[in-house]
Amino acid sequence: MLYRNGQRLPLDGEGLALRLSVNPRARRISIRIDARAGEAVAVAPSERRLGDAVAFARTRNDWILERLSARPAGLPLEPGGTVALSGHPVRLVAGGGAGAARLSTDATGPVIISGGEGEAFSRRVQNLLKREARRALVARTEVHLRTLGQKPVRVSIADGRSRWGSCSPHNRTIRYSWRVVMAPPAVLDYLAAHEVAHLVHANHSPAYWAVVHDLIGDPSPHRRWLRDHGAGLHAVGR
């Protein structure tokens, strides 16, 4: 059977799917969980190896179903709730009217006060988090660019389905997920270093990881944090 990039195959379990993905930079076949989409992704270095990726995924079927069933439920952004900002909980407060969300403090500590109701409230809070993400990620990107003697890049903030960031060295653009602003600052800094290092090596070779290490030290704790807590970040606002 011929498989194609982006194809979805049903898994045992209602509504669950396996998505096929080709990544020319991948060094091996792998399976990852896309918590936001609620599906597993079989990654192969080329389209002709997608069949091998499907076969490998079938041997990991129980693991895939276990991981998908354990993913966090949606965490709405609503008054009275909390959201993490730079790794710390911030309380959400209704401000009345239709004003934009803003950071403030009260007797209990940091708060985000926002106008709007329902989806409008959630959207305003997300817009604030995106602004904070851009500010922090641009700042750390510029630091790492200077360290490596690299020219400026164009930074964009998005809501990636599964990737925390991506770098296109040929047109000097870096794309980040705004959700990393909820992680501790060291994790956000790791993400910036990870993407900037791709301007030097457009792969994940030992030479690439050496550049990352030179920028921030051992990246393992930060990679582990994203692996352990990433699904929770993707659940926010759902």
Side-chain angles (χ1 to χ4, degrees), residues 10 16 37 44 52 55-57 62 78 90 102 147 166 170 189 200 225 237:
L16 301 181
D52 295 333
F56 177 62
D62 290 345
E78 56 191 12
V90 178
R102 67 185 190 278
T147 299
S166 61
H170 66 283
D189 191 35
V200 181
W225 194 98

Side-chain angles (χ1 to χ4, degrees), residues 140-171:
R140 297 313 302 167
T141 297
E142 290 177 349
V143 167
H144 297 313
L145 287 172
R146 288 195 297 269
T147 299
L148 296 179
Q150 289 284 327
K151 297 178 181 179
V153 297
R154 185 169 70 252
V155 172
S156 63
I157 303 298
D159 192 2
R161 294 178 63 86
S162 59
R163 299 176 66 181
W164 296 108
S166 61
C167 176
S168 297
H170 66 283
N171 58 14

Side-chain angles (χ1 to χ4, degrees), residues 164 187 190 218-231:
W164 296 108
V187 176
Y190 155 69
D218 183 7
S220 299
H222 314 309
R223 297 178 67 193
R224 185 164 55 248
W225 194 98
L226 284 172
R227 184 174 62 249
D228 293 344
H229 300 280

Side-chain angles (χ1 to χ4, degrees), residues 120-136:
F121 180 91
S122 177
R123 185 170 59 252
R124 285 167 170 78
V125 173
Q126 286 195 36
N127 287 340
L128 180 146
L129 295 174
K130 291 174 183 178
R131 292 194 299 272
E132 291 296 310
R134 171 174 286 279
R135 178 188 59 78

